[in-house]
Amino acid sequence: EKKKKKKKMDDLIGILQKAPIFKGIEADDLFKLVEQSNYQTKKYEKGRLIFQAGDPCDKLIILLKGKVTAEMLDPSGKSLKIEDAEAPQSLATAFMYGQKQKIPVNVTAVKAAEFLYIQKEQFQKMLMQSEKLLANYINMISTRAQFLSDKLKFMSFNTIRQKLAHFLLDRMEAEQEPFNAGISQTAMAELFGVARPSLARCIGELEDEGVIYCERSFFTVFDMNTLRMELIEQNQYRVKG
């Protein structure tokens, strides 16, 4: 019985070590943190609504196994997909604190899923005991805030070409010098707030025009002026508006 319990705990620690919030924490240290956290695990079948927008966010939520999708309802009641999440990773970490401690989206199991829950009070103790965990948590919240800030910026552009032009000009070093965009095209489409096929089509058009070259997440810009003109046109449109 003890061997079974230890094997189960070792497997759990192995999964948690792959989650960004526990990245870089040694297995023994993580074992101690989790063991005293009074954690709970729960399984959900495929298609189950796990969280509803407005539910209290009073605990650390870790997706251990499976895949979920997060959706939001617009004023007309239409469901808008926000993002998919695959195990292992934490969900809604930034919403445990602040004025509105509520889950902002509906979360549904795309595949059979298993979650681990640690109550907020216990998680705070863990943060006080591990500098690495605290640093990971702050880094995750900051990264998310930066992502949302960038997303708001991209929403101010009217076309995908303008969004892509701004993105590339912001990250490139020089013409004809390949650079890594740092994110996949799927993540880029999410950042721009557009469909992945629409972004791919726009990239293809700019390649056909000889403005850029793209291979996976690597880009080469051949004509900066064309990209700059896209943004100048955007500014002129604003002035006229």
Side-chain angles (χ1 to χ4, degrees):
E1 186 64 33
K2 279 187 177 180
K3 283 185 179 179
K4 277 187 180 179
K5 196 173 180 181
K6 187 178 185 307
K7 171 76 166 57
K8 190 177 178 182
M9 191 65 172
D10 287 344
D11 289 345
L12 174 62
I13 297 303
I15 292 171
L16 291 177
Q17 278 188 301
K18 295 173 185 174
I21 195 165
F22 295 119
K23 184 180 177 181
I25 301 178
E26 295 294 329
D28 289 346
D29 295 333
L30 186 52
F31 183 95
K32 291 172 188 173
L33 288 170
V34 173
E35 189 181 35
Q36 62 192 22
S37 69
N38 295 321
Y39 70 90
Q40 293 179 315
T41 59
K42 193 170 180 180
K43 296 179 180 179
Y44 302 89
E45 68 272 16
K46 179 182 175 180
R48 173 78 180 273
L49 177 65
I50 302 167
F51 303 109
Q52 199 162 1
D55 284 350
C57 190
D58 54 2
K59 52 189 169 286
L60 178 67
I61 303 167
I62 305 284
L63 175 61
L64 292 175
K65 297 175 184 176
K67 181 179 179 180
V68 299
T69 188
E71 296 177 320
M72 213 174 250
L73 295 179
D74 70 10
S76 68
K78 183 182 175 183
S79 181
L80 301 172
K81 181 178 173 181
I82 305 301
E83 63 182 341
D84 289 331
E86 290 201 55
Q89 65 174 291
S90 53
L91 303 181
T93 46
F95 294 92
M96 279 193 288
Y97 299 91
Q99 290 183 331
K100 293 182 180 179
Q101 296 173 26
K102 295 185 179 185
I103 292 173
V105 292
N106 294 333
V107 178
T108 306
V110 177
K111 298 177 183 175
E114 183 175 359
F115 280 82
L116 176 141
Y117 301 120
I118 297 174
Q119 292 300 316
K120 183 177 172 180
E121 294 76 14
Q122 293 295 329
F123 179 59
Q124 285 180 192
K125 289 178 183 176
M126 292 169 69
L127 290 174
M128 295 301 104
Q129 291 169 356
S130 170
E131 287 185 11
K132 185 62 180 171
L133 177 59
L134 178 60
N136 286 348
Y137 181 64
I138 292 170
N139 187 54
M140 286 179 68
I141 292 174
S142 298
T143 300
R144 191 65 179 171
Q146 289 161 12
F147 173 82
L148 292 174
S149 174
D150 284 343
K151 195 160 186 174
L152 283 172
K153 188 189 299 177
F154 286 112
M155 284 175 67
S156 69
F157 295 109
N158 297 315
T159 68
I160 300 175
R161 281 177 74 103
Q162 288 163 353
K163 294 173 196 278
L164 184 58
H166 174 80
F167 180 88
L168 296 175
L169 288 170
D170 189 48
R171 282 160 177 76
M172 67 177 286
E173 293 290 334
E175 280 188 342
Q176 301 187 36
E177 193 174 299
F179 64 95
N180 190 345
I183 58 174
S184 67
Q185 287 188 25
T186 300
M188 195 185 300
E190 183 189 343
L191 176 63
F192 292 179
V194 301
R196 168 73 172 78
S198 300
L199 173 62
R201 191 160 51 247
C202 180
I203 290 172
E205 288 170 359
L206 286 169
E207 283 189 304
D208 291 343
E209 294 168 25
V211 179
I212 66 169
Y213 173 72
C214 172
E215 186 172 355
R216 295 177 183 261
S217 63
F218 284 86
F219 286 83
T220 305
V221 174
F222 297 112
D223 187 353
M224 286 176 65
N225 286 334
T226 295
L227 296 181
R228 284 174 177 152
M229 283 303 297
E230 291 289 342
L231 302 183
I232 289 169
E233 288 172 11
Q234 163 77 4
N235 290 332
Q236 287 174 343
Y237 174 83
R238 280 182 185 164
V239 171
K240 286 177 183 177

